[in-house]
């Protein structure tokens, strides 16, 4: 029997254990979740790398962001709030620290070389030039995060990028593996990050149009209002410097939980099919990356799947990483996957959980869309949090939609529900969907409350876009901060 319900907007935890549903208002009113903690970053040493004609302007804009930046307009004050400024007495309660010594300019000669060669050579040249400068600065070990201004003249991809902002929160169209990208498909973000995964410091790549109002965004990209851009950049820098902007709420009675996301990717040359795993530990959102083994396309459903032994090994490696991070084992595992579970996969994951004496293992296939759609009176889209129960093992959840707190629908396209298909119906559907909805808010690349995907799969999808450029024997970073 089909039924529907509207879930409450999940609250997040901020400084002083205060709560709010929106990350920006929570930080403004209460500070970040780790406010007052001994390891919270009170000062973030930022290294700057990029064209000389960008670095001065970028630094001036970051200095300007120490003070409040006005809201976009008064019509939607909750959707477009002001940025409170970034300093030790406001907002994230930290300050960005710069110095000429921690700045590296890309020479005009190298920029001309990038501009004059054709694609894909220009992309390869740009990555090589930037890699050398970034490594030099990182090796001096005087910065916490590297802010990289990309060259304006560089064409990002040879075709439409899978990182197009219109699809940034989408799962593959068939809820499975993306088709192998053409040989020329690549972008500066993923290639550069793949080359620098060995560094201790994460990097943050920024376009000139982010800080320079006179520069138009590249074709296919839109520009947010200035306060929103400041919010997104500073939260990302805070997280990459080791800070905790916000947390999931956790009751003392809740089981200690390890969240695991499994996604699949092909190597850049299309020769191999592998898995990537992104884990989110507890309510903090600390991500540790574990590379999985080979996968195979099933003849039955044309989706990628793991053999039982490989599924077992994958979760064992994930639990080993969890223990190294937290010095204990979780009592519960929530595992999300981008394709349906075979009996071998479910059995292999269960074998690993049983071997490590894990009390609870919950496995769900998260689909990109469902055949069902919800409607409400009038022209407004369904409310975010609308849950439609289609069957015992089939739920449709609107993670995007109209938002009462914003008093509008903030999207540009008709929202589609994501599907939640648990392997075994061990929990109440409402509780299961509420947890997925809360996980959509654990995204430190943007600060609105309405992410579409749970962070388990958003993270795994971002990781795979970088790992496909890494050979199997390359050592890679284990912190999610290096991939976002």
């Amino acid at each position: 029997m089909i039924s529907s319900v509207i879930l409450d907007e999940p609250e997040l935890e901020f400084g002083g254990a205060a709560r709010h549903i929106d990350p920006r208002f929570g930080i403004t009113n209460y500070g970040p979740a780790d406010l007052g903690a001994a390891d919270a970053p009170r000062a973030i040493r930022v290294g700057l790398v990029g064209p000389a004609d960008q670095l001065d302007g970028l630094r001036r804009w970051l200095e300007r962001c120490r003070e409040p930046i006005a809201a976009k307009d008064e019509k939607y004050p909750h959707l477009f709030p002001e940025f409170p400024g970034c300093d030790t007495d406001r907002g994230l309660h930290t300050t960005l620290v710069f110095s000429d010594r921690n700045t590296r300019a890309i020479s005009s000669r190298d920029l001309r070389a990038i501009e004059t060669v054709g694609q894909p050579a220009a992309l390869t040249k740009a990555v090589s030039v930037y890699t050398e400068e970034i490594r030099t600065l990182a090796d001096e070990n005087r910065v916490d995060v590297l802010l990289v201004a990309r060259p304006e003249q560089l064409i990002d991809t040879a075709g439409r990028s899978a990182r197009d902002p219109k699809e940034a929160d989408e799962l593959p169209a068939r809820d499975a593996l993306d088709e192998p990208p053409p040989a020329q498909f690549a972008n500066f973000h993923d290639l550069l990050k793949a080359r620098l995964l060995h560094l201790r410091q994460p990097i943050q790549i920024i376009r000139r149009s982010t800080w320079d109002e006179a520069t138009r965004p590249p074709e296919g990209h839109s520009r947010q209002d200035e306060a929103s851009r400041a919010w997104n950049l500073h939260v990302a820098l805070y997280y990459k410097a080791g800070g905790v902007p916000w947390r999931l709420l956790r009751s003392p009675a809740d089981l200690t939980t390890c969240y695991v996301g499994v996604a699949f990717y092909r190597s850049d040359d299309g020769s191999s099919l592998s898995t990537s795993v992104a884990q989110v530990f507890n309510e903090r959102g600390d991500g540790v990356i574990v590379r999985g083994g080979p996968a195979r396309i099933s003849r039955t459903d044309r989706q990628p799947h793991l053999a039982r032994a490989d599924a077992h090994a994958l979760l064992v490696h994930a639990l080993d990483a969890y223990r190294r991070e937290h010095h204990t084992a979780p009592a519960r595992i929530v595992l999300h996957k981008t394709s349906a579970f075979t009996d071998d996969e479910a059995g292999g994951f269960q074998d690993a959980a049983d071997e490590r004496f894990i009390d609870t293992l919950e496995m769900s296939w998260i689909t990109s869309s469902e055949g069902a759609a919800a409607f409400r009176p009038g022209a407004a889209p369904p409310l975010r949090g609308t849950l439609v129960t289609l069957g015992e093992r089939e739920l449709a959840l609107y993670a995007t939609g109209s938002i009462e707190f914003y008093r509008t629908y903030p999207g540009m396209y008709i929202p589609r529900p994501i599907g939640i298909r648990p392997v075994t119906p061990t929990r109440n559907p409402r509780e299961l969907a509420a947890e997925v909805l809360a996980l959509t808010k654990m995204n430190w690349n943007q600060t609105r409350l309405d992410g579409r995907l749970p962070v388990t799969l958003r993270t795994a999808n971002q990781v795979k876009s970088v790992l496909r450029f890494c050979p199997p024997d390359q050592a890679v970073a284990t912190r999610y901060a290096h991939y976002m």
Side-chain angles (χ1 to χ4, degrees):
M1 178 177 175
I2 297 177
S3 62
S4 64
V5 66
I6 299 175
L7 304 176
D8 292 335
E9 186 62 54
E11 291 184 312
L12 298 168
E13 181 181 319
F14 300 91
R19 301 178 178 187
H20 203 285
I21 62 172
D22 187 281
R24 297 165 297 184
F25 285 86
I27 290 173
T28 298
N29 295 337
Y30 310 112
D34 59 350
L35 181 66
D39 57 352
R42 296 282 290 172
I44 302 172
R45 301 172 300 169
V46 179
L48 297 176
V49 179
D53 67 337
Q54 289 198 44
L55 294 180
D56 287 344
L58 173 57
R59 189 163 163 176
R60 285 195 301 272
W61 185 71
L62 293 171
E63 293 284 358
R64 161 176 158 73
C65 290
R66 297 187 192 279
E67 300 297 326
I69 295 177
K72 177 180 179 180
D73 55 44
E74 298 180 356
K75 186 177 181 181
Y76 299 110
H78 286 174
L79 179 57
F80 302 110
E82 77 165 6
F83 178 66
C86 182
D87 214 333
T88 54
D89 61 347
R90 69 195 67 169
L92 290 162
H93 290 260
T94 190
T95 185
L96 305 186
V97 179
F98 315 99
S99 73
D100 293 340
R101 190 180 180 191
N102 293 332
T103 300
R104 292 288 185 279
I106 303 299
S107 72
S108 57
R109 174 175 52 82
D110 285 331
L111 291 171
R112 285 194 301 273
I114 294 169
E115 189 172 7
T116 55
V117 298
Q119 291 287 355
L123 192 57
T124 302
K125 176 66 175 176
V127 170
S128 296
V129 168
Y130 272 75
T131 294
E132 183 177 350
E133 293 293 346
I134 291 169
R135 281 177 176 167
T136 299
L137 184 52
D139 287 346
E140 295 172 357
N141 204 28
R142 295 193 306 268
V143 298
D144 302 305
V145 182
L146 290 144
L147 187 54
V148 178
R150 53 169 293 148
E152 289 181 85
Q153 64 270 37
L154 182 66
I155 298 175
D156 204 18
T157 64
R160 189 182 182 195
S161 169
R163 302 184 67 90
D164 188 298
K166 296 175 184 176
E167 299 185 351
D169 269 344
E170 296 295 322
L171 288 174
R174 296 173 55 250
D175 309 318
L177 180 74
D178 287 324
E179 290 299 315
Q184 74 273 20
F185 172 83
N187 67 53
F188 182 74
H189 176 281
D190 296 344
L191 279 171
L192 185 63
K193 297 219 167 192
R195 290 280 294 273
L196 297 170
L197 287 179
H198 64 285
L199 297 183
R200 180 186 66 84
Q201 305 93 332
I203 66 173
Q204 174 73 35
I205 300 171
I206 187 169
R207 293 180 181 273
R208 182 165 190 156
S209 55
T210 299
W211 56 266
D212 184 0
E213 297 291 340
T215 300
R216 296 182 60 182
E219 185 179 355
H221 292 254
S222 59
R223 176 160 49 198
Q224 296 174 306
D225 61 287
E226 186 180 21
S228 295
R229 282 177 269 142
W231 267 116
N232 293 338
L233 177 64
H234 285 79
V235 165
L237 291 175
Y238 189 78
Y239 175 74
K240 291 183 179 185
V244 184
W246 56 84
R247 296 188 180 106
L248 293 175
L249 292 184
R250 181 174 180 269
S251 165
D254 292 342
L255 295 176
T256 304
T257 302
C258 172
Y259 298 98
V260 181
V262 180
F264 300 87
Y265 68 96
R266 289 192 188 276
S267 59
D268 185 36
D269 60 7
S271 63
S272 63
L273 175 60
S274 300
T275 59
S276 68
V277 169
Q279 301 179 69
V280 180
F281 295 127
N282 299 336
E283 72 281 1
R284 290 174 59 90
D286 295 334
V288 176
I289 307 306
V290 177
R291 288 176 98 172
R296 296 175 179 83
I297 297 292
S298 167
R299 294 182 178 179
T300 303
D301 61 6
R302 302 303 300 165
Q303 294 185 10
H305 294 291
L306 297 168
R308 185 168 187 142
D310 292 326
H312 169 270
L314 186 61
L315 189 51
V316 165
H317 292 159
L319 291 171
D320 286 343
Y322 186 99
R323 179 172 288 278
R324 287 193 298 270
E325 181 77 11
H326 296 283
H327 310 292
T328 187
R332 172 174 172 258
I333 299 171
V334 172
L335 194 153
H336 293 159
K337 189 165 165 280
T338 57
S339 59
F341 286 80
T342 64
D343 291 341
D344 278 348
E345 287 174 322
F349 291 133
Q350 189 64 61
D351 291 344
D354 292 343
E355 181 181 302
R356 296 301 178 89
F357 304 101
I358 305 299
D359 294 336
T360 304
L361 170 64
E362 298 177 11
M363 296 175 280
S364 294
W365 169 24
I366 308 295
T367 75
S368 65
S369 62
E370 288 295 313
F375 299 91
R376 64 186 182 120
L383 289 167
R384 169 177 154 88
T386 299
L387 171 65
V388 181
T389 301
L390 303 170
E392 188 179 34
R393 300 189 185 184
E394 189 172 1
L395 311 174
L397 173 65
Y398 278 87
T400 55
S402 296
I403 298 173
E404 290 186 337
F405 183 67
Y406 292 160
R407 299 186 180 277
T408 188
Y409 168 53
M412 297 177 61
Y413 305 96
I414 297 174
R416 294 181 298 149
I418 60 175
I420 306 172
R421 300 186 183 182
V423 173
T424 54
T426 57
R427 302 181 70 195
N428 178 290
R430 184 167 181 162
E431 294 178 354
L432 178 64
E435 184 172 51
V436 171
L437 192 65
L439 289 171
T440 66
K441 305 178 84 158
M442 301 299 287
N443 174 15
W444 302 277
N445 262 335
Q446 67 97 17
T447 52
R448 273 186 6 198
L449 61 81
D450 60 334
R452 186 169 191 267
L453 296 181
V455 70
T456 44
L457 296 186
R458 179 181 175 85
T459 301
N461 285 330
Q462 285 186 301
V463 169
K464 74 179 185 181
S465 68
V466 175
L467 285 185
R468 70 185 181 92
F469 294 108
C470 302
D473 58 348
Q474 178 182 332
V476 298
T478 58
R479 281 190 67 208
Y480 167 52
H482 288 80
Y483 299 83
M484 61 179 275

